[in-house]
Amino acid sequence: MGNHIVFALLISFFSVTMYAQKTTIDVKVGDVLVIGEVDNDSYKYINFPRANFIIKRGGIANYKKVKGEKVIITSIREQKDGSLLATLALRSNQHFFNSHKHVTAEISEAILQNELIRM
């Protein structure tokens, strides 16, 4: 009976270790990424502004236009929960939706979910 408990603890330890290794993504300021394609334009980890804010600032709320665009990481800061929040700008120095210079993203999750793709 004791061997089963030790075996279960070892399995859980290695599972947690493997999960932690998968979620740590090595990124730095200046890295270039590509915005990926998601279903129904529902980006969960890239914090694009809502359509009404884009329109209020004179922009065009067309999320399909940002797919495939190259972005550069301009800053990274660690959140209280340990996740990394990155500020992104278009590499072409244009504005997102013709209205916003920067957007933020939970960088590790965005890469894992293919919202952002490494070049």
Side-chain angles (χ1 to χ4, degrees):
M1 185 73 157
N3 289 338
H4 294 292
I5 294 172
V6 171
F7 182 71
L9 288 173
L10 284 173
I11 294 294
S12 63
F13 173 75
F14 287 118
S15 298
V16 169
T17 304
M18 288 175 33
Y19 177 75
Q21 289 175 350
K22 278 201 274 185
T23 58
T24 56
I25 304 289
D26 184 35
V27 291
K28 61 186 180 304
V29 173
D31 284 355
V32 177
L33 305 165
V34 176
I35 297 176
E37 186 172 342
V38 296
D39 294 333
N40 300 324
D41 299 327
S42 58
Y43 290 92
K44 185 174 179 181
Y45 299 104
I46 302 175
N47 303 317
F48 286 126
R50 293 191 325 230
N52 62 329
F53 290 114
I54 295 169
I55 294 167
K56 282 182 183 179
R57 292 185 66 180
I60 301 168
N62 183 358
Y63 293 94
K64 292 179 183 177
K65 197 171 183 180
V66 296
K67 293 175 188 169
E69 287 287 331
K70 293 179 183 176
V71 294
I72 189 165
I73 299 174
T74 59
S75 70
I76 300 173
R77 67 178 185 260
E78 188 172 347
Q79 300 290 85
K80 289 180 182 178
D81 64 358
S83 64
L84 297 176
L85 187 69
T87 303
L88 307 172
L90 287 172
R91 189 158 185 221
S92 63
N93 287 330
Q94 300 294 316
H95 286 65
F96 291 95
F97 313 106
N98 294 327
S99 63
H100 290 76
K101 183 72 175 167
H102 302 281
V103 296
T104 59
E106 295 175 36
I107 196 73
S108 297
E109 289 297 325
I111 291 172
L112 289 173
Q113 298 300 320
N114 291 325
E115 290 183 11
L116 290 171
I117 302 166
R118 292 180 183 251
M119 291 189 56

